[in-house]
Amino acid sequence: VLPNSTPCPQHCNYNLPTNTTKMKFTAAATVAFAASANAFAPATTGNRATQLNAMKDDFAKVGAAALAGAAIFGATMPAQAITKSELNQLSYLQVKGTGLANRCSEVIGEDTITPKGGSRLVDLCIEPKAWAVEEEIGKGGKTEKKFVNSKVMTRQTYTLEGIEGSIKTDGGVITFVEEEGIDYAATTVQLPGGERVPFLFTVKELVAKGNGGAFKPGFQMGGDFSVPSYRTGLFLDPKGRGGTTGYDMAVALPGLQSGEEGDAELFKENNKTFDVGQGRIEMEVNKVNAEESEIGGVFVASQPGDTDMGSKVPKKILTKGIFYAKIQ
């Protein structure tokens, strides 16, 4: 009833208890969250126990939990994942803010594609799903190196996209040579203790050799790639020192950099370098769509982290996830 004792119209809701309104809002929000969560819920698509068989010695030191995680990626695919043709039908505003731009498309089918002479691998998308950092862990007076699961701190800009290169077939074996595309992404992960580890996630100059002459479920290929420095020559540290510009030494500490004593301690900090490391990636195809000339699968990559332009020893980063590509 209104304050003036006027009968309330049917559409009025002034006397609705506040807690009832909150309950309705909470229920609606819960349903919406559940619906969005179901869109990314994993769905089993078959046993992928063979996916890690061809991994090189770089991954031999990975713990059982990390290997189990890699196997899970091979055995699961996001439910209701979007295909490339469906993604191409969406407008910019439909994709904006949804996270779809950071995801690789799904491939449906288990066909076989035999590349011809002059074929190219285009639209290669590499999406990491999990990260681990190699750390020295002490136990019982002994230290051993183990990969520790970490959490990504970078926003949804860490997926590589639009990579392409030539495909060669020599002796019945496919070889992919990476040439161009968005083949690097500055990424930072955080260890359980709070330490953050930056690295340049990349596959630059990748030369991947396969184990057969056709793309089909179970086909594997892998190879080495270059890892450029996380920082470029124009970057200046907090004391104004850089690789190609800036001060040669820390201006506030001239006495420690006289060249007689103390210079060795600060040499690595003063002498900025552009370090280029080497990584390795192993990929396995588990989906092939011959009609659309698409392939998809899982990958495991290992690479060094940031050296802070030569002043730090790089940590080893292990990355696991999915990939998508098209044969042209």
Side-chain angles (χ1 to χ4, degrees):
V1 180
L2 295 175
N4 295 333
S5 299
T6 303
C8 179
Q10 293 182 356
H11 63 274
C12 288
N13 211 11
Y14 294 107
N15 60 348
L16 185 65
T18 305
N19 58 348
T20 304
T21 305
K22 291 182 178 179
M23 291 173 61
K24 289 186 176 181
F25 175 79
T26 304
T30 303
V31 172
F33 177 80
S36 62
N38 289 335
F40 299 95
T44 303
T45 59
N47 182 16
R48 303 300 306 158
T50 63
Q51 289 176 347
L52 299 177
N53 291 342
M55 294 305 170
K56 304 299 181 182
D57 295 338
D58 291 342
F59 313 119
K61 293 182 291 184
V62 181
L67 285 175
I72 290 174
F73 289 127
T76 61
M77 287 289 289
Q80 302 177 10
I82 191 169
T83 63
K84 190 69 172 180
S85 60
E86 294 171 341
L87 183 61
N88 291 336
Q89 297 175 13
L90 300 179
S91 66
Y92 168 77
L93 292 179
Q94 289 174 315
V95 175
K96 180 182 178 182
T98 63
L100 288 176
N102 193 54
R103 292 177 56 192
C104 292
S105 302
E106 178 193 13
V107 178
I108 300 175
E110 296 184 356
D111 305 325
T112 300
I113 299 178
T114 302
K116 302 177 181 179
S119 297
R120 293 178 63 82
L121 192 73
V122 300
D123 293 338
L124 174 59
C125 173
I126 302 177
E127 179 188 354
K129 293 287 189 179
W131 300 261
V133 181
E134 189 178 49
E135 288 279 89
E136 288 189 358
I137 300 177
K139 186 177 181 181
K142 299 180 180 179
T143 60
E144 58 179 344
K145 292 184 177 180
K146 285 187 177 182
F147 282 95
V148 180
N149 291 333
S150 57
K151 178 177 65 174
V152 65
M153 304 303 295
T154 306
R155 293 189 178 185
Q156 296 188 353
T157 57
Y158 49 78
T159 294
L160 309 183
E161 177 65 75
I163 301 172
E164 61 180 84
S166 60
I167 298 177
K168 301 176 182 178
T169 304
D170 185 13
V173 176
I174 294 176
T175 301
F176 167 66
V177 181
E178 189 268 345
E179 296 175 358
E180 59 182 339
I182 305 177
D183 52 9
Y184 68 94
T187 310
T188 300
V189 295
Q190 180 172 293
L191 294 172
E195 179 185 358
R196 294 189 176 183
V197 182
F199 68 101
L200 194 71
F201 178 53
T202 181
V203 289
K204 278 184 173 293
E205 301 176 352
L206 169 65
V207 178
K209 294 185 179 181
N211 61 353
F215 294 103
K216 58 184 179 179
F219 172 83
Q220 298 173 344
M221 64 178 181
D224 298 331
F225 57 86
S226 299
V227 183
S229 173
Y230 182 81
R231 305 288 190 188
T232 61
L234 297 178
F235 173 78
L236 298 179
D237 69 5
K239 291 182 172 57
R241 298 168 295 190
T244 59
T245 185
Y247 296 112
D248 293 331
M249 62 180 66
V251 180
L253 303 171
L256 292 178
Q257 303 162 96
S258 60
E260 298 178 1
E261 294 182 3
D263 189 45
E265 182 180 349
L266 297 175
F267 177 77
K268 290 184 178 181
E269 294 285 347
N270 293 333
N271 185 39
K272 304 296 183 182
T273 59
F274 187 90
D275 297 322
V276 179
Q278 187 179 68
R280 184 173 184 85
I281 187 172
E282 297 291 337
M283 314 168 77
E284 179 169 339
V285 175
N286 56 25
K287 293 292 181 180
V288 180
N289 187 331
E291 183 178 356
E292 299 290 340
S293 299
E294 297 175 334
I295 62 173
V298 295
F299 78 91
V300 178
S302 175
Q303 67 170 87
D306 177 36
T307 65
D308 200 12
M309 302 190 74
S311 64
K312 296 179 181 178
V313 177
K315 294 180 180 290
K316 196 171 186 179
I317 314 292
L318 186 71
T319 309
K320 298 172 286 187
I322 62 175
F323 74 91
Y324 163 92
K326 197 167 186 176
I327 312 300
Q328 194 177 69

